[in-house]
Amino acid sequence: MHLLGLIAAAIVPVWLFAAYLLVQFALRERDRIEHEAVQTARQVSLVVEGELFNLQTVLNGLSKSAALSKGDLQAFHDQAVNLVWGTDRVIVLRDLGRNQLMNTEIGYGTSLPPVEPITDHDRQRLQTSGLFVSDVFAAAGSKDYRVAVGVRVPAPKGEDLILSISVPTSRIRNVMMPAVPEGWTVGVGDREGHFVARSKLHEEMTGKPGLPEYVEKVVGRSGSFTSRNLEGITLLAGYYRSSYSDWFFTANLPLSTAKAPLWRSLIAISGIGLLSLLVSMALGYIFAKRFIGATAQLSARAQALGHGQKVEPLHSSIAEFATIADAMVDAERAIATRRTELEAVLDTVPAAVWFTYDPKALQVIRNRFAAELMGLPTEASKSFGQPEHVIDTVAVKDGHVVSREDRPLSRAMRGELVDQEEFAYTLPSGVERFLLSSARPIRHPGGAILGAVQISLDITERKRGEEHRRLLANELNHRVKNTLAVVQSIAAQTIRNATSLTEAQRTLSSRLISLAKAHDLLTQQNWSGADLNDLILGSIMPHVPIERFQISGEPVWLPPNIALSVALAFHELTTNAIKYGSLSNPTGRVCIRWSLVSHKQHRCLDLDWRETGGPRVGPGGRKGFGTQLLERVFDSDKSGSVALKFEESGLICEFRVILSH
């Protein structure tokens, strides 16, 4: 690359000088073409003005007619007709208003139609010079576009008259064509910017307005500009405005045609320069091949040194490269010795260690303990010494997700000191680790940051132990409060509804025993819940033989709070059935059935208690503890619903329990 740079240093100034000459040539060529365009427009204007002057000469001669001076318009009409016979010229005699006095296209004596009044500009020209050249106009009754030259003539009586002669615009186009150079497009425009004549597409363009963006650039007597034409082609245009007719004449050349010589020169110079560069590069490659080979070998040894691999000596005819290679061999031996010592120390330390020399901290070197924490391989080739990409983890500090740029190692790379900050990391496998981390930058003796090191202690077990103890304390407190509240409620309801102290003592004892059995069942399952079938059997078996029950339903696991409520509910239903219902005689039976029903937002448990074979029962006058318990626990929007039906066959109790709550 240095040799190629030297070659470029020799060739580029030559290219720059050639480019300078090319720019100067382009500017001069542009000036020449612009001057040529203005000259072409002026030459065409002279040719067209010659034709207009010829028309003026005809009018001047005709205006001296004796018949006109005597007012003999018929004789004057015959003279004018003879003058334009066999040509496309039309002579008109008119006043300054709208009246025609004579027209060579219309026989004498025929009623002549009114004409358009002359413009203010033409009236002013008549007053100052006695002559005007009109703008392009459409002939009456046809699509033929014409232009006219008019002169002022004295009338035998009254104000002066106007004698004009008109010709088709094609006449102007034919006159100017010999003066149009090959490859150029010449246009003639009137004072209003309408086309009078055009060397190309004359029939389509005559009488039509030119592009506003083109016409508005025709300012002053002469000049040049660039603009688009009607076909969308960018043109280089020169213009000249005639003082005789006040028309403007433009000579146009496609800008691409004007730039063609420049592009040909540019391509030629670029080709020659590229060829010379290729030849020079080939020669440079031949002479630099030995250097490139030795450089590649030296580079390979430098990469081996950087990756901690063995560095071989270099045998080269370039003594300087061989000296550098020998220094690398010595450095590799010293680094290997120190790496072995450092690995032994770091693999023994019960802490996770990360090093990085990457400014973005995306590549790290980790010890064995750090690899184990992150769930990575711990073999020698993967544990320490080789930079590897960091794994994708989610870090949380104080309840907020921490971006990779705000983690200890990245902050240390920016020069910050991090002391014993706790982070929760979620690994790609889903495992959560809690680390107590500190980080420091590694600085050059001059103060520049070379890298960073982070040391972290695994405090996952400690954090989990603290969380477990906190949860146990909260759970114990919650359960004790709930149990005391339930016992208090049962005692209050029992005493309120009892008729005697003995009945209250017996009922309260029975209910507390039922609650205790439900607690025993939940305790066996670590308060994770209870099976519905086991819960029902535990509530009824101490009171009535199981043969008097028909129990059926799918396995259902109840949460602890619902399990306690169901246990108390079935205890009350059983005791009521023994006192008043189907279990109060030897023949009555109870059917218990349940099923799970899935809804869009939750699951529901539908459970029926049906008594048959007992005495006919009806609703009591007041609600007892059992009825109040069922309605308060199960009859709500969040818990579900309960319905008590007192049929002739016996009591029917229908539950719907929302399990998601």
Side-chain angles (χ1 to χ4, degrees):
M1 292 304 297
H2 282 83
L3 289 176
L4 293 180
L6 182 61
I7 293 170
I11 293 179
V12 168
V14 179
W15 280 6
L16 293 176
F17 181 68
Y20 170 76
L21 294 179
L22 186 62
V23 171
Q24 293 300 317
F25 169 75
L27 294 176
R28 292 179 181 273
E29 186 69 11
R30 175 71 174 265
D31 292 340
R32 183 189 66 79
I33 295 175
E34 290 179 354
H35 180 72
E36 183 179 352
V38 175
Q39 287 299 109
T40 300
R42 181 175 176 80
Q43 291 173 4
V44 172
S45 72
L46 293 176
V47 173
V48 174
E49 285 180 356
E51 176 64 19
L52 297 177
F53 187 76
N54 290 337
L55 297 176
Q56 179 187 352
T57 303
V58 173
L59 293 177
N60 289 337
L62 188 60
S63 65
K64 302 297 190 294
S65 170
L68 178 61
S69 61
K70 295 178 181 180
D72 187 357
L73 294 182
Q74 182 174 2
F76 183 71
H77 179 271
D78 294 338
Q79 292 176 359
V81 169
N82 292 333
L83 187 62
V84 298
W85 182 262
T87 68
D88 52 8
R89 302 176 181 179
V90 177
I91 297 177
V92 175
L93 180 65
R94 56 173 291 182
D95 59 16
L96 295 177
R98 299 174 57 90
N99 300 316
Q100 292 189 86
L101 304 179
M102 183 274 294
N103 191 321
T104 57
E105 283 192 325
I106 303 174
Y108 185 79
T110 305
S111 176
L112 300 176
V115 294
E116 293 294 330
I118 63 173
T119 64
D120 294 338
H121 180 271
D122 292 342
R123 186 186 295 272
Q124 184 178 3
R125 289 293 298 271
L126 284 173
Q127 292 176 355
T128 57
S129 62
L131 169 74
F132 75 90
V133 179
S134 72
D135 291 334
V136 63
F137 61 91
S142 70
K143 296 182 179 179
D144 183 24
Y145 286 94
R146 307 176 72 88
V147 292
V149 177
V151 297
R152 184 176 60 188
V153 296
K157 297 180 181 180
E159 62 180 1
D160 293 340
L161 302 177
I162 301 174
L163 182 63
S164 66
I165 183 170
S166 66
V167 294
T169 56
S170 59
R171 173 79 175 176
I172 304 299
R173 189 251 184 193
N174 294 335
V175 169
M176 75 178 187
M177 283 305 295
V180 177
E182 184 179 357
W184 289 75
T185 301
V186 175
V188 182
D190 62 14
R191 292 185 298 273
E192 299 298 328
H194 293 76
F195 278 102
V196 176
R198 197 169 186 266
S199 60
K200 296 179 181 179
L201 303 176
H202 169 80
E203 298 299 331
E204 291 83 352
M205 303 305 300
T206 182
K208 295 182 179 179
L211 284 177
E213 63 184 67
Y214 184 96
V215 175
E216 67 185 9
K217 294 182 180 180
V218 181
V219 180
R221 180 63 61 187
S222 64
S224 61
F225 59 87
T226 57
S227 179
R228 292 186 305 167
N229 63 2
L230 294 172
E231 290 83 11
I233 301 174
T234 302
L235 302 175
L236 175 63
Y239 65 90
Y240 177 80
R241 186 178 292 276
S242 170
S243 58
Y244 177 79
S245 62
D246 207 18
W247 292 351
F248 64 88
F249 299 80
T250 61
N252 306 275
L253 185 69
L255 191 60
S256 58
T257 303
K259 290 183 177 179
L262 173 64
W263 285 113
R264 287 195 294 268
S265 301
L266 180 61
I267 292 173
I269 292 176
S270 300
I272 295 172
L274 182 60
L275 179 61
S276 62
L277 180 61
L278 292 176
V279 172
S280 300
M281 289 177 63
L283 294 175
Y285 175 76
I286 294 174
F287 288 107
K289 191 172 182 180
R290 291 170 53 199
F291 293 94
I292 294 174
T295 303
Q297 296 182 40
L298 193 62
S299 176
R301 284 159 175 76
Q303 291 181 2
L305 179 63
H307 290 85
Q309 301 171 356
K310 184 174 179 59
V311 179
E312 300 292 341
L314 175 64
H315 303 285
S316 173
S317 59
I318 305 176
E320 291 82 2
F321 285 9
T323 301
I324 297 175
D326 292 340
M328 289 183 178
V329 171
D330 296 338
E332 184 272 329
R333 293 171 181 169
I335 291 174
T337 301
R338 294 187 179 182
R339 181 189 299 115
T340 302
E341 297 172 353
L342 184 60
E343 286 184 2
V345 173
L346 291 177
D347 285 344
T348 305
V349 174
V353 182
W354 287 273
F355 290 94
T356 186
Y357 300 97
D358 180 10
K360 296 183 179 180
L362 297 178
Q363 287 191 329
V364 299
I365 301 171
R366 58 177 69 90
N367 69 342
R368 178 184 58 83
F369 195 79
E372 291 177 351
L373 281 181
M374 298 293 110
L376 299 175
T378 57
E379 44 282 6
S381 61
K382 294 289 186 181
S383 60
F384 189 79
Q386 301 297 327
E388 295 188 8
H389 288 284
V390 296
I391 62 174
D392 187 15
T393 59
V394 178
V396 177
K397 178 184 177 183
D398 299 330
H400 301 285
V401 177
V402 180
S403 65
R404 190 169 300 280
E405 291 76 13
D406 293 331
R407 297 183 188 180
L409 200 60
S410 299
R411 291 160 57 190
M413 280 298 297
R414 298 196 296 267
E416 297 184 30
L417 302 180
V418 181
D419 287 321
Q420 296 186 353
E421 294 186 2
E422 292 186 6
F423 293 86
Y425 291 89
T426 302
L427 306 184
S429 61
V431 176
E432 187 178 37
R433 297 279 187 186
F434 293 91
L435 301 182
L436 183 65
S437 301
S438 300
R440 293 289 187 277
I442 302 174
R443 296 183 179 273
H444 188 273
I449 297 177
L450 301 178
V453 59
Q454 174 183 339
I455 299 178
S456 300
L457 298 178
D458 184 12
I459 58 173
T460 304
E461 294 302 323
R462 189 188 79 186
K463 297 292 289 186
R464 289 176 179 171
E466 293 174 355
E467 181 67 18
H468 187 63
R469 287 193 297 272
R470 184 168 61 255
L471 289 176
L472 286 178
N474 291 339
E475 182 68 18
L476 179 60
N477 185 38
H478 175 71
R479 289 178 183 175
V480 168
K481 288 181 178 179
N482 284 349
T483 301
L484 292 177
V486 171
V487 171
Q488 181 182 8
S489 177
I490 291 175
Q493 292 291 338
T494 300
I495 295 173
R496 186 181 301 116
N497 295 320
T499 57
S500 64
L501 184 61
T502 302
E503 180 186 358
Q505 180 181 2
R506 178 178 52 80
T507 303
L508 179 60
S509 175
S510 174
R511 288 171 177 168
L512 292 179
I513 291 173
S514 177
L515 180 63
K517 290 182 178 180
H519 270 262
D520 290 341
L521 187 60
L522 290 173
T523 303
Q524 293 174 7
Q525 301 295 335
N526 294 322
W527 279 81
S528 62
D531 181 74
L532 177 59
N533 187 70
D534 295 342
L535 199 65
I536 293 175
L537 293 178
S539 300
I540 63 177
M541 287 181 63
H543 306 286
V544 185
I546 194 62
E547 292 80 8
R548 302 191 65 176
F549 288 84
Q550 182 181 356
I551 302 174
S552 62
E554 58 188 295
V556 177
W557 190 261
L558 298 178
N561 57 336
I562 296 180
L564 288 175
S565 300
V566 170
L568 291 175
F570 272 89
H571 171 78
E572 293 301 321
L573 289 172
T574 302
T575 54
N576 286 339
I578 293 174
K579 291 179 179 180
Y580 315 110
S582 60
L583 300 181
S584 61
N585 59 29
T587 60
R589 298 180 63 84
V590 177
C591 178
I592 303 175
R593 294 180 181 177
W594 68 85
S595 63
L596 285 175
V597 180
S598 296
H599 293 273
K600 292 183 179 180
Q601 299 180 351
H602 48 254
R603 294 185 310 137
C604 293
L605 171 65
D606 289 343
L607 189 151
D608 293 343
W609 168 287
R610 293 179 179 270
E611 299 181 14
T612 57
R616 181 176 179 179
V617 297
R622 65 183 181 88
K623 295 182 179 180
F625 173 77
T627 302
Q628 294 180 16
L629 171 68
L630 294 178
E631 291 179 349
R632 183 169 299 178
V633 173
F634 295 104
D635 194 4
S636 68
D637 293 337
K638 292 185 178 181
S639 300
S641 61
V642 61
L644 295 174
K645 299 179 182 179
F646 298 92
E647 304 289 345
E648 293 185 2
S649 58
L651 174 66
I652 298 176
C653 184
E654 296 177 347
F655 296 89
R656 167 157 286 189
V657 183
I658 301 176
L659 295 182
S660 57
H661 288 292

